[in-house]
Amino acid sequence: MSRARASGDVTLLSIVGARPNFMKVAPIARVLAQRPAWRHLIVHTGQHYDANMSKVFFSELGIPEPDVHLGVGSGTHAQQTARVMMALEEVIEKARPDMVIVVGDVNSTLAGALVAVKLRIPVAHVEAGLRSFDREMPEEINRVVTDSVADLLLTPSRDGDENLLREGVDPQRIHFVGNVMIDSLLHFLPRARETRAWARFGLQHGGYCLVTLHRPSNVDEERRLRDFLVLLERIGKRLPVLFPIHPRTRKMLQEFGLAEDPPGVHLVEPVGYLEFIGLEEGARLVLTDSGGIQEESTILKVPCLTLRANTERPVTVTEGCNRVVGQDPQTIWAAVEEILGQKKRPSRVPEKWDGRAAERIVRVIEEFLETRRSGA
Ligand code: UD1
Ligand code: UDP
């Protein structure tokens, strides 16, 4: 961080750490790069560190190399959050940015927001207001706490605004900017299509089921994970199943002695962003517990079954082609059969999921900083 800071310049500091953060920060970094008087620092906490969970996204999405790597790695929630906080405090104290940007709902998001707010640096939370109303989910705690301390609450959908207003948040802090993850999706979709990633796995476009699972509630319990593999094997008899495995899930499969591919199911390492979007676009259906994949499938108009009891992204159900089907294998199987037996259902594009969320985010930040500087 040696670059000199001219007076009047703005310094923003974005925090990334885990896979779903990278596609949210990439469009913001692109917009900020067009403002030569603005300095944009990127801090990588190191929450995710495997090359296919981190590095690949920087090269594919054109994100500038992080200015600082905290290298915190894995641990319990308290360990990971505390390590990010301790390392980040020094970095933020030194850089004294005008604003810290945190995205999403991972531990790095929460830690970043807490450190900044205690150093009296304003915080912008991108993807604010989402609620699953399920405190068993670690992300729900991260969302509630981050939103309660952030100065700017940048929401992806109107339900986010409603949730925050219901919690008594000052409406002036809330800004409905749309979904920045969709900025990345729309920007990179042509390149993603060109990968023809399905061909690399010997699959036909429109002829396979794509699966991702990584929520502790789905993969940390042996019985449930075993049941899911049996279900995938059953689906695999109808159409090929491709399952890029998250490292948490890989670890649990190994721990439970389940690492063998069931017949008809292809377990592979996580794939890069372009290939993954290519795979999503080419799938007959998607089974997932990921937040971001529910959103992407809505825009790609690929039927999505969410294997969870709830979703913090209800517009993907009301507007898109997502269905929340829970964790019972029989119910999921029935939903799979229904999808395979019907034509794709129509779905709408949610409001402001238009590829321009990052521009709106930067505009809101600019107005916020101008108001502060003018002392209004
Ligand atoms: C984290 C987020 C979750 C998000 C997910 C996206 C929290 C609380 N959870 O979950 O919201 O949906 O990322 O992918 O922040 N591991 C590796 N290599 C890596 C990263 C992780 O092997 O590069 C393994 C480690 O064994 C680690 C485990 O995965 O203990 C879990 O990683 P962690 O970052 O704690 O949580 P995720 O399950 O990845
Ligand atoms: N993704 C990817 N490769 C994969 C699986 C997912 O690039 O093998 C992308 C996916 O397209 C989406 C993001 O990762 O953009 C979602 O991240 P993840 O499911 O890890 O986290 P969540 O959204 O559930 O927090």
Side-chain angles (χ1 to χ4, degrees):
M1 282 192 296
S2 53
R3 282 167 277 177
R5 187 171 169 193
S7 66
D9 282 2
V10 169
T11 299
L12 300 180
L13 187 151
S14 293
I15 294 163
V16 293
R19 178 166 69 186
N21 295 160
F22 306 125
M23 47 297 282
K24 294 170 193 168
V25 163
I28 298 172
R30 244 191 344 269
V31 173
L32 290 175
Q34 291 160 6
R35 294 174 185 242
W38 288 40
R39 190 161 71 127
H40 185 210
L41 303 172
I42 297 180
V43 176
H44 192 320
T45 65
Q47 175 171 350
H48 285 175
Y49 41 86
D50 290 350
N52 58 15
M53 294 297 288
S54 173
K55 199 172 181 13
V56 65
F57 299 99
F58 283 80
S59 48
E60 287 192 348
L61 298 165
I63 309 171
E65 269 300 300
D67 297 83
V68 182
H69 270 281
L70 305 180
V72 302
S74 306
T76 66
H77 285 270
Q79 286 166 349
Q80 193 171 56
T81 310
R83 277 195 224 123
V84 175
M85 288 182 71
M86 287 164 72
L88 193 60
E89 186 173 51
E90 236 176 86
V91 173
I92 294 186
E93 231 165 355
K94 219 168 176 181
R96 296 302 306 180
D98 296 284
M99 183 153 231
V100 165
I101 302 173
V102 295
V103 299
D105 55 15
V106 302
N107 285 346
S108 301
T109 313
L110 167 71
L114 283 178
V115 170
V117 76
K118 292 212 167 196
L119 290 172
R120 310 307 301 136
I121 308 285
V123 175
H125 182 207
V126 173
E127 204 184 271
L130 299 188
R131 297 289 182 269
S132 65
F133 304 103
D134 174 4
R135 295 222 174 177
E136 292 295 312
M137 229 187 150
E139 294 80 2
E140 184 73 353
I141 311 291
N142 295 346
R143 293 180 197 120
V144 169
V145 177
T146 303
D147 284 343
S148 75
V149 299
D151 299 80
L152 286 181
L153 299 168
L154 304 158
T155 61
S157 44
R158 291 208 182 270
D159 53 284
D161 297 40
E162 285 159 20
N163 292 334
L164 293 166
L165 291 171
R166 207 179 314 112
E167 289 170 15
V169 171
D170 177 354
Q172 290 200 350
R173 284 165 62 205
I174 306 171
H175 301 267
F176 172 38
V177 292
N179 191 332
V180 77
M181 198 150 191
I182 302 306
D183 289 17
S184 276
L185 177 67
L186 297 177
H187 187 82
F188 289 104
L189 189 54
R191 263 175 271 178
R193 284 201 176 106
E194 277 169 23
T195 64
R196 296 167 60 85
W198 33 271
R200 174 160 88 84
F201 296 104
L203 301 166
Q204 302 285 331
H205 190 270
Y208 59 93
C209 172
L210 180 66
V211 180
T212 80
L213 293 173
H214 69 270
R215 298 275 160 223
S217 55
N218 277 336
V219 306
D220 283 7
E221 198 191 303
E222 180 172 353
R223 179 70 199 270
R224 178 151 289 151
L225 192 52
R226 208 176 266 283
D227 284 354
F228 278 149
L229 290 182
V230 172
L231 171 73
L232 295 184
E233 186 177 337
R234 192 171 179 193
I235 298 171
K237 291 186 179 133
R238 293 285 301 274
L239 80 175
V241 174
L242 183 69
F243 185 177
I245 307 226
H246 188 282
R248 170 189 286 277
T249 311
R250 171 71 73 194
K251 185 177 74 175
M252 299 320 293
L253 287 171
Q254 276 159 358
E255 211 170 298
F256 303 145
L258 298 169
E260 292 277 305
D261 288 20
V265 182
H266 199 22
L267 305 182
V268 297
E269 288 303 304
V271 297
Y273 183 74
L274 295 178
E275 280 210 322
F276 192 81
I277 296 296
L279 288 170
E280 257 184 284
E281 197 260 346
R284 177 69 185 85
L285 79 154
V286 173
L287 261 55
T288 193
D289 57 13
S290 156
I293 293 169
Q294 295 173 58
E295 299 180 336
E296 290 164 350
S297 63
T298 287
I299 298 302
L300 296 171
K301 300 188 189 306
V302 174
C304 176
L305 296 179
T306 295
L307 312 192
R308 284 175 42 190
N310 47 55
T311 181
E312 61 289 331
R313 293 164 160 89
V315 287
T316 61
V317 177
T318 54
E319 309 281 304
C321 33
N322 182 26
R323 274 179 64 192
V324 179
V325 288
Q327 294 156 308
D328 169 50
Q330 283 304 335
T331 313
I332 301 166
W333 172 251
V336 168
E337 283 214 299
E338 203 184 313
I339 288 174
L340 294 181
Q342 73 189 12
K343 285 203 173 134
K344 281 188 185 178
R345 277 199 300 205
S347 68
R348 290 186 296 269
V349 174
E351 191 182 354
K352 295 193 190 175
W353 291 27
D354 57 358
R356 314 197 67 166
E359 288 169 32
R360 289 189 282 266
I361 288 168
V362 172
R363 217 174 305 132
V364 171
I365 290 177
E366 188 169 27
E367 279 165 18
F368 174 88
L369 293 176
E370 270 170 13
T371 310
R372 258 176 89 92
R373 282 189 173 177
S374 68

